Amino acid sequence: MGPAEKVPRYEAFVSDVLQRDLCPPHPAGAPHPVLCGRRVQQQREEVYEKITQHMWLKTVIERLQEADGRAVQTQVDLGYNFFVNADVPDSSRIFVALGYGFFAELTLTEALRFVERKTKLLIELSESLTKDSAKIKANIRMVLEGLRELQGFQDLPEDPRRDLAL
């Protein structure tokens, strides 16, 4: 198969790869797979941060359960890392941020159940984003291999230390 026959096949392949719905449309001129790979990794990092926050909240709720509804002295973050001491007379119920600006007053058991379910959903989302990232990375490698073949480069030995950074 000559170069004249390879180019249309390769263009069809690249078009197919870029039309897959791995991420939303990209800005004009931006390399599609790399941009999407970075976006997926950024989303995954945000999900990991939320998981960390939920695990911290779970620990706080468990400590409040140990207090068994008694008065608790704690520090409250008012924003911009400005903490004040607070006395909580009844620690049997807490407010939990549900999302989109909604809060619910829950018992400690209900709050713990909510946090565990939310953490489970976030972990599933992070696994899905990891799979998407791997797909994008595989597509990038395939495109690079196609370019290498079109340009007539010989197969270069694989360097185990070098990896494509998304």
Side-chain angles (χ1 to χ4, degrees):
M1 177 183 305
E5 297 165 356
K6 287 183 182 179
V7 172
R9 286 186 60 207
Y10 178 73
E11 287 176 351
F13 164 75
V14 170
S15 175
D16 179 49
V17 168
L18 295 182
Q19 289 178 3
R20 293 182 188 163
D21 57 344
L22 292 176
C23 64
H26 61 288
H32 188 276
V34 174
L35 178 66
C36 292
R38 288 186 182 140
R39 187 176 301 140
V40 168
Q41 285 187 336
Q42 182 182 15
Q43 289 173 347
R44 188 175 66 177
E45 292 302 319
E46 291 170 2
V47 169
Y48 285 150
E49 185 176 316
K50 288 179 183 178
I51 290 172
T52 303
Q53 292 171 353
H54 281 80
M55 297 304 286
W56 176 80
L57 180 58
K58 181 180 176 183
T59 303
V60 169
I61 293 171
E62 289 170 347
R63 287 187 183 161
L64 286 174
Q65 282 181 329
E66 292 171 3
D68 204 27
R70 296 181 306 234
V72 176
Q73 192 173 34
T74 186
Q75 286 189 331
V76 178
D77 185 3
L78 297 178
Y80 299 105
N81 290 328
F82 182 71
F83 290 91
V84 294
N85 291 330
D87 293 322
V88 181
D90 180 20
S91 63
S92 64
R93 300 177 72 80
I94 62 172
F95 279 95
V96 177
L98 302 176
Y100 297 107
F102 291 100
F103 293 83
E105 184 177 2
L106 303 174
T107 64
L108 296 177
T109 307
E110 293 170 337
L112 192 58
R113 205 169 349 128
F114 170 79
V115 169
E116 288 172 349
R117 280 192 285 184
K118 182 81 176 213
T119 303
K120 181 181 174 186
L121 290 173
L122 288 171
I123 289 171
E124 289 174 5
L125 178 60
S126 71
E127 290 171 354
S128 171
L129 290 171
T130 300
K131 289 178 184 176
D132 288 348
S133 178
K135 286 179 186 176
I136 291 169
K137 193 173 187 178
N139 287 339
I140 291 171
R141 284 183 183 265
M142 201 174 299
V143 168
L144 289 175
E145 287 297 322
L147 286 172
R148 182 182 302 166
E149 183 181 326
L150 278 175
Q151 293 174 351
F153 289 137
Q154 297 176 358
D155 288 339
L156 300 174
E158 191 71 27
D159 186 4
R161 294 173 290 151
R162 184 170 170 230
D163 203 0
L164 291 177
L166 296 178

